[in-house]
Amino acid sequence: GAPEVIVSVVDAGVDLNHEDLASNCAKSNHFNFVDNNAVITAGDHGTHVAGIIAEGTPDNVKILSVKSLNSSGGGSSLAVWLGIEYATLKGSDVINISLVGEAKIDYIEKAISKYDNLSAVFIDYAGLIDGFGFSCESFSCYGRGSIVFCGFSG
């Protein structure tokens, strides 16, 4: 068959046992940087993102949950940086990041730009809520192969 394609979801955790996702989830290597262990607690947003990724994708696409945000979507730029590092070191072909907040962009930029020579594609979702958060211009993958989506609310 076709070679396995790993899509990491650096987010609030994916429900690995969800009836619509279980067959699309990688069998191992998931990690939780919120609690610093391999136990993934599902987050609504991470599961939602994984569902979008899994919908209609071939069987060789596997989702790797890299929990870097808590269940309510909060967290630190350090945890996101660790999630990006982990996803890359585990051979992810695609890394999905959805962030809204006031995190230090330069910290995350350094984590992403460190891997310019690798083939992983980063998918960023930058958002503004009530005027706070990342702008599309400030949160992109800084010149590397990436897809950037932007959303605004409030």
Side-chain angles (χ1 to χ4, degrees), residues 29-43:
N29 291 328
H30 306 280
F31 200 81
N32 179 337
F33 285 99
V34 174
D35 298 322
N36 201 30
N37 62 41
V39 177
I40 298 296
T41 52

Side-chain angles (χ1 to χ4, degrees), residues 5 24-25 31 39 42 54 61 64 68 73 80 85 92 97 102-103 108 112-113 120 123-125 127 131 141 150 154:
V5 175
N24 294 95
C25 291
F31 200 81
V39 177
V61 175
L64 180 66
S68 295
V80 173
E85 289 259 317
S92 298
I97 309 167
E102 299 181 65
I108 296 170
I112 294 170
S113 64
I123 298 178
D124 313 325
Y125 180 89
C141 287
C150 298

Side-chain angles (χ1 to χ4, degrees), residues 77 99 101-111 133-135 138-140 142:
S77 57
L99 297 174
E102 299 181 65
K104 294 181 180 177
I105 301 296
D106 59 336
Y107 199 51
I108 296 170
E109 173 191 354
K110 288 176 186 174
F134 304 120
S135 70
S138 68
F139 190 70
S140 68
Y142 306 92

Side-chain angles (χ1 to χ4, degrees), residues 109-129:
E109 173 191 354
K110 288 176 186 174
I112 294 170
S113 64
K114 180 179 177 180
Y115 297 103
D116 276 346
N117 61 333
L118 299 179
S119 62
V121 173
F122 286 85
I123 298 178
D124 313 325
Y125 180 89
L128 291 172
I129 295 179

